[in-house]
Amino acid sequence: MRLRVTRTLTGILAAAFCTMLAGCGAQGEAYQPRAAPASRSVIYIYRPYGLISSQVNPMIVCGHESIELETAGFYEFIADTGPITCATPADATAELKFDAHAGEKYFIKEDVASSGVAGSNVHFKLMDAEVGEDEIKECSRQGIRQ
């Protein structure tokens, strides 16, 4: 009898855990590549899903855009050519600078890791276009524009 109860409880907990995992991540449209305008660039910021990813959604300022991304979310925008800076007020050490060129696509990966009581650590990485385009396919269009 005790074994049956233990198996039932284990099954219930496993089902609850799977349901919780299925609910994690941004809800929205799937990634659809966009052609970059000849005189401007397309910038994609994405945050891949990760089991150990922080549940914090820090504000991101990239170029003239301000957004918040959930885990497995992405945001895209059109930018003028020239210097672009991506940063977050939540982590003064998190900053990425690069030059955007006309007709190009840029993929910026955001990693957010919990750093305990103090908050979270944010890292931005400019990805190779092929890698970024492959990774972003697991994300949904999202981003709360501020």
Side-chain angles (χ1 to χ4, degrees):
M1 178 71 172
R2 184 175 173 99
L3 183 60
R4 183 181 297 161
V5 170
T6 302
R7 285 184 181 169
T8 302
L9 286 175
T10 302
I12 291 170
L13 289 174
F17 183 72
C18 290
T19 302
M20 181 184 75
L21 286 179
C24 293
Q27 303 294 313
E29 301 171 11
Y31 167 74
Q32 294 293 322
R34 175 195 291 214
S39 62
R40 301 178 83 193
S41 59
V42 178
I43 299 178
Y44 295 95
I45 303 172
Y46 68 100
R47 182 176 171 189
Y49 177 78
L51 285 176
I52 58 172
S53 180
S54 174
Q55 296 301 313
V56 176
N57 301 328
M59 178 64 64
I60 301 167
V61 178
C62 194
H64 297 292
E65 300 288 319
S66 297
I67 56 164
E68 293 175 357
L69 285 180
E70 294 179 22
T71 299
F74 80 88
Y75 183 75
E76 71 178 80
F77 63 96
I78 304 293
D80 292 327
T81 60
I84 299 285
T85 300
C86 297
T88 178
D91 186 347
T93 64
E95 185 176 89
L96 172 71
K97 294 181 179 185
F98 65 98
D99 285 323
H101 300 283
E104 298 290 323
K105 292 181 188 179
Y106 297 93
F107 293 85
I108 300 166
K109 182 177 184 176
E110 176 197 25
D111 287 318
V112 181
S114 179
S115 63
V117 178
S120 60
N121 291 329
V122 179
H123 301 281
F124 297 110
K125 183 176 181 183
L126 186 59
M127 303 299 291
D128 175 77
E130 286 183 24
V131 173
E133 193 155 33
D134 187 51
E135 289 182 344
I136 202 170
K137 290 177 183 175
E138 302 298 320
C139 299
S140 299
R141 180 184 310 276
Q142 188 263 316
I144 303 166
R145 187 176 174 167
Q146 300 296 321

